[in-house]
Amino acid sequence: QKEVEQNSGPLSVPEGAIASLNCTYSDRVSQSFFWYRQYSGKSPELIMSIYSNGDKEDGRFTAQLNKASQYVSLLIRDSQPSDSATYLCAVRSFRNKLVFGAGTILRVKS
Amino acid sequence: EAGVTQFPSHSVIEKGQTVTLRCDPISGHDNLYWYRRVMGKEIKFLLHFVKESKQDESGMPNNRFLAERTGGTYSTLKVQPAELEDSGVYFCASGTGNQPQHFGDGTRLSIL
């Protein structure tokens, strides 16, 4: 079992719709969770961090964390073609290192 | 504020040669991390510096990889001798305390 699992996609949504990206993790003691967006050939760019159960909203992005289910998700409202990218779920592990999922490719169609 | 910068952006070398990758972290960030993504796989941790000290090098694949951070500023990652399986994208990230890590654009390394 991988430490952090994501559906590789591609996830295709029409412009203006809500995109829902999901991630599960195996280490029950994990406390810090991150979503990075990566465009082809570019750096992973931090878009959300979440540390407590529940929802955290920032603009069009909402991160949701459920530690009991070991599940973290990212919702993108009013999806735009510019949101098309690979979304990486990362969990902070022992000694501060990040453990990444393989990423979900999101395609927003205009 | 300048972000994390990595050099070179691309490197193509032959098997058996040596390559050195460089990372300049965000100014003031004591934590510096190296990660690697090989084709079709997830990004994986290599090692972590706190200032000039290696905090965790549990992800380094073997002794052909040598990382340094003299003076606690920029870092280098040397691969000697390079093997075919070393091909991939090498990312550097920096951060301060428990704050999220910020990544560079990576160095795409191709071993022929």
Side-chain angles (χ1 to χ4, degrees):
Chain A
Q1 182 191 8
K2 290 185 178 180
E3 293 183 70
V4 178
E5 297 217 42
Q6 295 181 253
N7 188 324
S8 61
L11 172 66
S12 291
V13 300
E15 184 175 358
I18 296 175
S20 177
L21 305 162
N22 305 312
C23 172
T24 58
Y25 60 94
S26 61
D27 188 352
R28 286 193 166 274
V29 303
S30 298
Q31 297 293 321
S32 304
F33 307 87
F34 307 92
W35 283 99
Y36 286 84
R37 176 178 63 197
Q38 187 178 24
Y39 296 111
S40 180
K42 294 297 185 181
S43 62
E45 174 193 7
L46 178 72
I47 52 172
M48 289 289 284
S49 58
I50 187 166
Y51 308 102
S52 305
N53 278 329
D55 295 0
K56 178 182 178 183
E57 186 174 320
D58 184 1
R60 296 187 296 113
F61 299 99
T62 299
Q64 299 174 316
L65 175 60
N66 183 325
K67 291 184 181 179
S69 300
Q70 294 173 241
Y71 176 92
V72 58
S73 65
L74 179 70
L75 300 178
I76 307 175
R77 288 181 299 282
D78 188 24
S79 295
Q80 301 297 310
S82 59
D83 294 326
S84 298
T86 297
Y87 288 80
L88 302 167
C89 173
V91 178
R92 185 152 60 200
S93 182
F94 180 62
R95 286 183 176 172
N96 235 15
K97 67 183 180 186
L98 294 178
V99 180
F100 283 88
T104 298
I105 297 170
L106 174 66
R107 293 182 182 154
V108 181
K109 298 184 177 181
S110 58
Chain B
E1 178 186 75
V4 177
T5 56
Q6 293 186 244
F7 182 84
S9 56
H10 291 86
S11 181
V12 181
I13 63 171
E14 293 187 350
K15 176 182 170 181
Q17 291 186 322
T18 297
V19 63
T20 300
L21 314 180
R22 172 170 169 147
C23 169
D24 286 77
I26 293 171
S27 178
H29 282 189
D30 288 340
N31 292 303
L32 187 150
Y33 307 82
W34 284 98
Y35 293 85
R36 176 175 75 169
R37 186 170 199 164
V38 297
M39 182 71 74
K41 300 286 188 181
E42 61 272 21
I43 296 173
K44 289 208 167 179
F45 169 82
L46 295 178
L47 88 161
H48 170 203
F49 285 100
V50 178
K51 297 185 180 179
E52 67 275 9
S53 299
K54 289 177 186 174
Q55 179 77 10
D56 180 2
E57 51 184 332
S58 61
M60 294 287 264
N62 52 60
N63 60 9
R64 295 185 294 103
F65 289 75
L66 175 65
E68 295 180 324
R69 193 183 182 195
T70 307
T73 54
Y74 71 92
S75 175
T76 59
L77 179 64
K78 182 162 69 174
V79 185
Q80 179 183 31
E83 297 290 344
L84 297 178
E85 65 265 25
D86 302 332
S87 295
V89 182
Y90 289 76
F91 291 103
C92 176
S94 71
T96 181
N98 284 330
Q99 294 302 306
Q101 298 172 26
H102 297 271
F103 283 76
D105 285 345
T107 294
R108 184 173 299 275
L109 178 61
S110 297
I111 313 298
L112 305 179

